[in-house]
Amino acid sequence: MQKYGLIGYPLGHSFSKNYFNQKFESENIDATYLNFEIPNINIPYKEQVIPYLDDLDEDARLIGAVNVIKFTKGIFGKKLKGYNSDIIGFKRSIEPLLNETHRKALILGTGGASKAVFQGLKQLGVGA
């Protein structure tokens, strides 16, 4: 069985556990999604975690922030690769709403998610 999860505190507000467990069940995927509540991890570390990773996918590298870490086993031990799913969700939600008149956008914020929004807009041809 594969294990997925969310690390942080508090996690009572997160919909991820129920969403992914229902998705795994409906798709007959042998996996579980757990919440790992760790009291001293209470703010996003999307940027600070990067030096601890072995590799980044291209979007995460361009954004400079990760929110998904894949653990794999190799011949020299475990490997950690960082990804950014914020860009995927943002692009898929905004792209159907864009047309040729949308040339610029204002991004409010400077954290990891706003960096993903910036990169997503750039990939969609919208300046920020």
Side-chain angles (χ1 to χ4, degrees):
M1 175 181 284
Q2 294 181 339
K3 290 185 182 179
Y4 298 87
L6 179 62
I7 298 170
Y9 185 85
L11 298 178
H13 67 283
S14 174
F15 69 91
S16 298
K17 182 178 176 182
N18 289 336
Y19 173 82
F20 284 109
N21 283 322
Q22 288 174 4
K23 184 73 168 169
F24 294 151
E25 185 177 339
S26 70
E27 300 287 330
N28 292 318
I29 297 171
D30 188 23
T32 188
Y33 192 98
L34 306 166
N35 284 341
F36 299 96
E37 288 200 314
I38 302 172
N40 60 349
I41 299 179
N42 57 7
I43 61 171
Y45 287 99
K46 294 178 181 182
E47 299 168 34
Q48 293 87 341
V49 73
I50 291 175
Y52 300 99
L53 303 176
D54 298 301
D55 195 13
L56 296 174
D57 90 321
E58 184 64 12
D59 281 335
R61 186 185 65 73
L62 291 170
I63 294 164
V66 302
N67 64 350
V68 174
I69 300 172
K70 182 178 182 180
F71 293 73
T72 58
K73 292 181 183 178
I75 58 174
F76 299 110
K78 68 180 179 212
K79 290 196 79 156
L80 307 175
K81 184 171 181 177
Y83 298 85
N84 191 300
S85 65
D86 289 336
I87 190 171
I88 297 165
F90 173 72
K91 282 175 56 178
R92 286 183 183 169
S93 65
I94 196 82
E95 191 170 23
L97 305 174
L98 296 177
N99 62 48
E100 64 279 349
T101 64
H102 298 115
R103 296 186 200 139
K104 291 193 178 226
L106 173 64
I107 300 169
L108 302 175
T110 59
S114 65
K115 291 178 181 183
V117 167
F118 173 79
Q119 189 62 34
L121 289 169
K122 187 175 170 182
Q123 290 177 4
L124 293 170
V126 178

PDB file of all heavy atoms in Angstrom, residues 87-99 102 105 117 120-121 124 126:
ATOM      1  N   ILE A  87       0.921  25.164  -9.063  1.00  0.00           N
ATOM      2  CA  ILE A  87       0.906  25.658 -10.442  1.00  0.00           C
ATOM      3  C   ILE A  87      -0.090  24.874 -11.293  1.00  0.00           C
ATOM      4  O   ILE A  87      -0.781  25.447 -12.127  1.00  0.00           O
ATOM      5  CB  ILE A  87       2.320  25.648 -11.070  1.00  0.00           C
ATOM      6  CG1 ILE A  87       2.306  26.405 -12.400  1.00  0.00           C
ATOM      7  CG2 ILE A  87       2.860  24.250 -11.219  1.00  0.00           C
ATOM      8  CD1 ILE A  87       3.676  26.632 -12.999  1.00  0.00           C
ATOM      9  N   ILE A  88      -0.183  23.585 -11.056  1.00  0.00           N
ATOM     10  CA  ILE A  88      -1.109  22.748 -11.829  1.00  0.00           C
ATOM     11  C   ILE A  88      -2.551  23.160 -11.538  1.00  0.00           C
ATOM     12  O   ILE A  88      -3.340  23.400 -12.458  1.00  0.00           O
ATOM     13  CB  ILE A  88      -0.900  21.258 -11.506  1.00  0.00           C
ATOM     14  CG1 ILE A  88       0.509  20.826 -11.906  1.00  0.00           C
ATOM     15  CG2 ILE A  88      -1.954  20.388 -12.183  1.00  0.00           C
ATOM     16  CD1 ILE A  88       0.942  19.500 -11.302  1.00  0.00           C
ATOM     17  N   GLY A  89      -2.900  23.250 -10.262  1.00  0.00           N
ATOM     18  CA  GLY A  89      -4.255  23.637  -9.889  1.00  0.00           C
ATOM     19  C   GLY A  89      -4.615  25.026 -10.367  1.00  0.00           C
ATOM     20  O   GLY A  89      -5.723  25.259 -10.865  1.00  0.00           O
ATOM     21  N   PHE A  90      -3.682  25.960 -10.236  1.00  0.00           N
ATOM     22  CA  PHE A  90      -3.950  27.325 -10.666  1.00  0.00           C
ATOM     23  C   PHE A  90      -4.168  27.395 -12.177  1.00  0.00           C
ATOM     24  O   PHE A  90      -5.146  27.973 -12.648  1.00  0.00           O
ATOM     25  CB  PHE A  90      -2.819  28.267 -10.255  1.00  0.00           C
ATOM     26  CG  PHE A  90      -2.987  29.648 -10.824  1.00  0.00           C
ATOM     27  CD1 PHE A  90      -3.965  30.489 -10.331  1.00  0.00           C
ATOM     28  CD2 PHE A  90      -2.206  30.069 -11.882  1.00  0.00           C
ATOM     29  CE1 PHE A  90      -4.155  31.754 -10.876  1.00  0.00           C
ATOM     30  CE2 PHE A  90      -2.381  31.324 -12.428  1.00  0.00           C
ATOM     31  CZ  PHE A  90      -3.365  32.167 -11.930  1.00  0.00           C
ATOM     32  N   LYS A  91      -3.251  26.810 -12.944  1.00  0.00           N
ATOM     33  CA  LYS A  91      -3.362  26.885 -14.403  1.00  0.00           C
ATOM     34  C   LYS A  91      -4.654  26.230 -14.907  1.00  0.00           C
ATOM     35  O   LYS A  91      -5.317  26.777 -15.782  1.00  0.00           O
ATOM     36  CB  LYS A  91      -2.148  26.232 -15.070  1.00  0.00           C
ATOM     37  CG  LYS A  91      -0.921  27.109 -15.055  1.00  0.00           C
ATOM     38  CD  LYS A  91       0.310  26.419 -15.613  1.00  0.00           C
ATOM     39  CE  LYS A  91       0.128  25.897 -17.001  1.00  0.00           C
ATOM     40  NZ  LYS A  91       1.348  25.265 -17.548  1.00  0.00           N
ATOM     41  N   ARG A  92      -5.000  25.084 -14.336  1.00  0.00           N
ATOM     42  CA  ARG A  92      -6.211  24.392 -14.789  1.00  0.00           C
ATOM     43  C   ARG A  92      -7.475  25.176 -14.438  1.00  0.00           C
ATOM     44  O   ARG A  92      -8.477  25.084 -15.135  1.00  0.00           O
ATOM     45  CB  ARG A  92      -6.283  22.997 -14.196  1.00  0.00           C
ATOM     46  CG  ARG A  92      -5.302  22.044 -14.840  1.00  0.00           C
ATOM     47  CD  ARG A  92      -5.441  20.654 -14.302  1.00  0.00           C
ATOM     48  NE  ARG A  92      -4.443  19.763 -14.872  1.00  0.00           N
ATOM     49  CZ  ARG A  92      -4.198  18.556 -14.437  1.00  0.00           C
ATOM     50  NH1 ARG A  92      -4.886  18.053 -13.427  1.00  0.00           N
ATOM     51  NH2 ARG A  92      -3.261  17.821 -15.000  1.00  0.00           N
ATOM     52  N   SER A  93      -7.436  25.923 -13.338  1.00  0.00           N
ATOM     53  CA  SER A  93      -8.632  26.671 -12.947  1.00  0.00           C
ATOM     54  C   SER A  93      -8.753  27.996 -13.690  1.00  0.00           C
ATOM     55  O   SER A  93      -9.867  28.439 -13.967  1.00  0.00           O
ATOM     56  CB  SER A  93      -8.649  26.902 -11.436  1.00  0.00           C
ATOM     57  OG  SER A  93      -7.578  27.735 -11.054  1.00  0.00           O
ATOM     58  N   ILE A  94      -7.642  28.629 -14.044  1.00  0.00           N
ATOM     59  CA  ILE A  94      -7.705  29.958 -14.670  1.00  0.00           C
ATOM     60  C   ILE A  94      -7.729  29.898 -16.191  1.00  0.00           C
ATOM     61  O   ILE A  94      -8.331  30.751 -16.842  1.00  0.00           O
ATOM     62  CB  ILE A  94      -6.539  30.857 -14.176  1.00  0.00           C
ATOM     63  CG1 ILE A  94      -6.802  32.337 -14.492  1.00  0.00           C
ATOM     64  CG2 ILE A  94      -5.216  30.469 -14.794  1.00  0.00           C
ATOM     65  CD1 ILE A  94      -7.669  33.028 -13.537  1.00  0.00           C
ATOM     66  N   GLU A  95      -7.108  28.902 -16.779  1.00  0.00           N
ATOM     67  CA  GLU A  95      -6.973  28.846 -18.243  1.00  0.00           C
ATOM     68  C   GLU A  95      -8.303  28.928 -18.987  1.00  0.00           C
ATOM     69  O   GLU A  95      -8.415  29.670 -19.971  1.00  0.00           O
ATOM     70  CB  GLU A  95      -6.191  27.603 -18.663  1.00  0.00           C
ATOM     71  CG  GLU A  95      -5.787  27.623 -20.117  1.00  0.00           C
ATOM     72  CD  GLU A  95      -4.813  26.520 -20.461  1.00  0.00           C
ATOM     73  OE1 GLU A  95      -4.757  25.502 -19.744  1.00  0.00           O
ATOM     74  OE2 GLU A  95      -4.102  26.689 -21.465  1.00  0.00           O
ATOM     75  N   PRO A  96      -9.362  28.230 -18.552  1.00  0.00           N
ATOM     76  CA  PRO A  96     -10.634  28.331 -19.285  1.00  0.00           C
ATOM     77  C   PRO A  96     -11.249  29.728 -19.236  1.00  0.00           C
ATOM     78  O   PRO A  96     -12.121  30.052 -20.053  1.00  0.00           O
ATOM     79  CB  PRO A  96     -11.547  27.327 -18.573  1.00  0.00           C
ATOM     80  CG  PRO A  96     -10.655  26.434 -17.804  1.00  0.00           C
ATOM     81  CD  PRO A  96      -9.432  27.237 -17.480  1.00  0.00           C
ATOM     82  N   LEU A  97     -10.820  30.552 -18.314  1.00  0.00           N
ATOM     83  CA  LEU A  97     -11.390  31.890 -18.158  1.00  0.00           C
ATOM     84  C   LEU A  97     -10.638  32.957 -18.937  1.00  0.00           C
ATOM     85  O   LEU A  97     -11.093  34.104 -19.040  1.00  0.00           O
ATOM     86  CB  LEU A  97     -11.405  32.271 -16.673  1.00  0.00           C
ATOM     87  CG  LEU A  97     -12.119  31.293 -15.741  1.00  0.00           C
ATOM     88  CD1 LEU A  97     -11.934  31.711 -14.293  1.00  0.00           C
ATOM     89  CD2 LEU A  97     -13.589  31.167 -16.097  1.00  0.00           C
ATOM     90  N   LEU A  98      -9.483  32.610 -19.476  1.00  0.00           N
ATOM     91  CA  LEU A  98      -8.643  33.589 -20.162  1.00  0.00           C
ATOM     92  C   LEU A  98      -9.031  33.720 -21.628  1.00  0.00           C
ATOM     93  O   LEU A  98      -9.453  32.774 -22.264  1.00  0.00           O
ATOM     94  CB  LEU A  98      -7.165  33.183 -20.071  1.00  0.00           C
ATOM     95  CG  LEU A  98      -6.555  33.155 -18.684  1.00  0.00           C
ATOM     96  CD1 LEU A  98      -5.114  32.658 -18.754  1.00  0.00           C
ATOM     97  CD2 LEU A  98      -6.620  34.517 -18.026  1.00  0.00           C
ATOM     98  N   ASN A  99      -8.843  34.941 -22.141  1.00  0.00           N
ATOM     99  CA  ASN A  99      -8.964  35.178 -23.577  1.00  0.00           C
ATOM    100  C   ASN A  99      -7.866  36.160 -23.984  1.00  0.00           C
ATOM    101  O   ASN A  99      -7.046  36.549 -23.163  1.00  0.00           O
ATOM    102  CB  ASN A  99     -10.373  35.668 -23.948  1.00  0.00           C
ATOM    103  CG  ASN A  99     -10.717  36.996 -23.292  1.00  0.00           C
ATOM    104  OD1 ASN A  99      -9.936  37.937 -23.317  1.00  0.00           O
ATOM    105  ND2 ASN A  99     -11.907  37.070 -22.704  1.00  0.00           N
ATOM    106  N   HIS A 102      -6.728  39.290 -21.910  1.00  0.00           N
ATOM    107  CA  HIS A 102      -6.051  39.141 -20.622  1.00  0.00           C
ATOM    108  C   HIS A 102      -4.545  39.092 -20.853  1.00  0.00           C
ATOM    109  O   HIS A 102      -3.992  38.056 -21.188  1.00  0.00           O
ATOM    110  CB  HIS A 102      -6.535  37.877 -19.898  1.00  0.00           C
ATOM    111  CG  HIS A 102      -7.981  37.915 -19.576  1.00  0.00           C
ATOM    112  ND1 HIS A 102      -8.878  37.053 -20.140  1.00  0.00           N
ATOM    113  CD2 HIS A 102      -8.695  38.725 -18.752  1.00  0.00           C
ATOM    114  CE1 HIS A 102     -10.084  37.322 -19.677  1.00  0.00           C
ATOM    115  NE2 HIS A 102     -10.007  38.331 -18.844  1.00  0.00           N
ATOM    116  N   ALA A 105      -1.694  40.648 -15.053  1.00  0.00           N
ATOM    117  CA  ALA A 105      -2.388  40.294 -13.814  1.00  0.00           C
ATOM    118  C   ALA A 105      -1.637  40.896 -12.639  1.00  0.00           C
ATOM    119  O   ALA A 105      -0.422  41.105 -12.713  1.00  0.00           O
ATOM    120  CB  ALA A 105      -2.459  38.783 -13.667  1.00  0.00           C
ATOM    121  N   VAL A 117       1.663  31.012  -8.844  1.00  0.00           N
ATOM    122  CA  VAL A 117       0.719  31.770  -9.663  1.00  0.00           C
ATOM    123  C   VAL A 117       1.480  32.579 -10.708  1.00  0.00           C
ATOM    124  O   VAL A 117       1.108  32.593 -11.890  1.00  0.00           O
ATOM    125  CB  VAL A 117      -0.166  32.682  -8.779  1.00  0.00           C
ATOM    126  CG1 VAL A 117      -0.930  33.695  -9.623  1.00  0.00           C
ATOM    127  CG2 VAL A 117      -1.117  31.842  -7.946  1.00  0.00           C
ATOM    128  N   GLY A 120       2.727  30.209 -13.361  1.00  0.00           N
ATOM    129  CA  GLY A 120       1.599  29.727 -14.146  1.00  0.00           C
ATOM    130  C   GLY A 120       1.111  30.756 -15.137  1.00  0.00           C
ATOM    131  O   GLY A 120       0.849  30.445 -16.306  1.00  0.00           O
ATOM    132  N   LEU A 121       0.993  32.006 -14.690  1.00  0.00           N
ATOM    133  CA  LEU A 121       0.580  33.088 -15.599  1.00  0.00           C
ATOM    134  C   LEU A 121       1.592  33.259 -16.723  1.00  0.00           C
ATOM    135  O   LEU A 121       1.226  33.436 -17.893  1.00  0.00           O
ATOM    136  CB  LEU A 121       0.410  34.402 -14.826  1.00  0.00           C
ATOM    137  CG  LEU A 121      -0.797  34.474 -13.905  1.00  0.00           C
ATOM    138  CD1 LEU A 121      -0.706  35.702 -13.014  1.00  0.00           C
ATOM    139  CD2 LEU A 121      -2.097  34.490 -14.713  1.00  0.00           C
ATOM    140  N   LEU A 124       1.153  30.739 -19.290  1.00  0.00           N
ATOM    141  CA  LEU A 124      -0.086  30.977 -20.053  1.00  0.00           C
ATOM    142  C   LEU A 124      -0.007  32.244 -20.902  1.00  0.00           C
ATOM    143  O   LEU A 124      -0.980  32.612 -21.554  1.00  0.00           O
ATOM    144  CB  LEU A 124      -1.274  31.037 -19.098  1.00  0.00           C
ATOM    145  CG  LEU A 124      -1.627  29.727 -18.383  1.00  0.00           C
ATOM    146  CD1 LEU A 124      -2.664  29.970 -17.293  1.00  0.00           C
ATOM    147  CD2 LEU A 124      -2.122  28.695 -19.386  1.00  0.00           C
ATOM    148  N   VAL A 126       0.503  35.389 -19.791  1.00  0.00           N
ATOM    149  CA  VAL A 126      -0.026  36.579 -19.106  1.00  0.00           C
ATOM    150  C   VAL A 126       1.084  37.160 -18.252  1.00  0.00           C
ATOM    151  O   VAL A 126       1.674  36.483 -17.429  1.00  0.00           O
ATOM    152  CB  VAL A 126      -1.236  36.231 -18.217  1.00  0.00           C
ATOM    153  CG1 VAL A 126      -1.735  37.463 -17.473  1.00  0.00           C
ATOM    154  CG2 VAL A 126      -2.347  35.604 -19.042  1.00  0.00           C
TER     155      VAL A 126
END
